[in-house]
């Protein structure tokens, strides 16, 4: 039996998908929105965690690190993400978080089941349709921290708010913003946000 925790912020999508997966033999399925994922992870102790990437955490990114933290138990779950090729920035974050499976959100439920079973065995699964997204992800000039800073700036956070959320000094945040502006070839912070959103980095 494979214990699966499905993490998705859309209640309707999550409920329908979880119910469909429960009909599959050998799957024991629990589901949760992102804000409750850490708690459910500790109580369910899943073998596989399937998480939708279209969610912004407190640092402007899906809190994928929480899904593979040691607090989840002696054996952290294997991570599978539901992704979109048009969001290479999120794919890059998933790779950095150690995700083993990558399923295109435009794919079929049967494909998701196949991916879950492979990941549960410790095998990698990558939808071919995400290839272009991975290629673009390798071309992103910004670091993980710079993406977090820029994501918060894009959400309207001030320098002080970004510093508070990420536990940085105001000067460090300004240095990150200067580096972001330089790396993206932007004129200013607003232009950097526009460029990054247009490229799908945020």
């Amino acid at each position: 039996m494979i214990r699966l925790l499905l993490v998705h912020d859309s209640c309707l999508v999550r409920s329908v998908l979880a119910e469909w997966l429960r009909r599959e033999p050998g799957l024991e399925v629990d589901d949760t929105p992102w804000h409750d994922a850490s708690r459910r992870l500790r109580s369910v102790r899943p073998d596989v965690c399937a998480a939708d990437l279209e969610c912004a955490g407190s640092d402007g990114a899906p809190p994928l690190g929480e899904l593979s933290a040691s607090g989840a138990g002696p054996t952290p779950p294997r991570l599978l993400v539901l992704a979109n090729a048009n969001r290479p920035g999120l794919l890059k974050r998933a790779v950095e978080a150690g995700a083993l499976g990558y399923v295109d959100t435009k794919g079929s439920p049967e494909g998701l089941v196949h991916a879950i079973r492979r990941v549960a065995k410790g095998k990698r699964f990558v939808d071919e349709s995400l290839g272009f997204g991975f290629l673009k992800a390798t071309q992103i000039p910004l670091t993980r921290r710079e993406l977090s800073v820029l994501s918060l700036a894009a959400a309207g956070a001030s320098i002080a708010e970004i510093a508070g959320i990420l536990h940085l000094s105001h000067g460090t945040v300004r240095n990150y913003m200067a580096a972001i502006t330089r790396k993206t070839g932007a004129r200013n912070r607003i232009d950097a946000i526009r460029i990054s959103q247009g490229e799908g980095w945020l």
Side-chain angles (χ1 to χ4, degrees):
M1 183 67 70
I2 299 171
R3 294 189 305 276
L4 173 72
L5 180 62
L6 176 65
V7 183
H8 202 299
D9 271 346
S10 170
C11 182
L12 178 60
V13 173
R14 186 179 71 247
S15 299
V16 171
L17 187 54
E19 187 60 32
W20 192 91
L21 289 170
R22 290 187 182 105
R23 299 174 186 174
E24 284 293 313
L27 291 186
E28 182 180 312
V29 183
D30 284 274
D31 63 277
T32 181
W34 269 103
H35 70 81
D36 202 30
S38 293
R39 184 184 68 81
R40 292 297 299 278
L41 198 66
R42 292 190 294 271
S43 62
V44 173
R45 299 289 177 87
D47 301 303
V48 177
C49 186
D52 175 52
L53 289 182
E54 297 291 335
C55 162
S58 60
D59 68 344
L64 293 170
E66 297 177 8
L67 302 184
S68 56
S70 57
T75 306
R78 294 184 170 105
L79 180 60
L80 179 152
V81 296
L82 309 178
N84 186 320
N86 293 325
R87 299 294 301 279
L90 295 179
L91 284 172
K92 181 176 182 178
R93 293 174 189 271
V95 170
E96 292 171 344
L100 198 57
Y102 301 82
V103 177
D104 194 335
T105 53
K106 297 178 181 178
S108 68
E110 291 82 5
L112 174 59
V113 171
H114 175 63
I116 290 169
R117 296 193 189 281
R118 280 189 60 86
V119 169
K121 294 177 182 178
K123 298 179 180 179
R124 182 171 295 277
F125 178 90
V126 180
D127 260 331
E128 292 182 2
S129 55
L130 295 176
F132 181 66
F134 277 106
L135 177 61
K136 292 188 69 176
T138 64
Q139 300 169 346
I140 297 175
L142 306 180
T143 66
R144 182 178 182 179
R145 179 62 89 183
E146 288 166 349
L147 286 170
S148 294
V149 169
L150 192 58
S151 294
L152 287 168
S158 65
I159 295 293
E161 289 169 333
I162 295 172
I165 292 171
L166 299 181
H167 308 291
L168 301 170
S169 70
H170 292 193
T172 300
V173 174
R174 291 191 182 92
N175 288 340
Y176 275 127
M177 287 305 310
I180 290 166
T181 301
R182 183 182 70 256
K183 288 182 177 181
T184 57
R187 296 185 300 275
N188 50 44
R189 178 166 70 167
I190 294 175
D191 194 32
I193 292 170
R194 179 189 61 79
I195 291 170
S196 298
Q197 288 177 333
E199 293 290 341
W201 299 346
L202 300 182

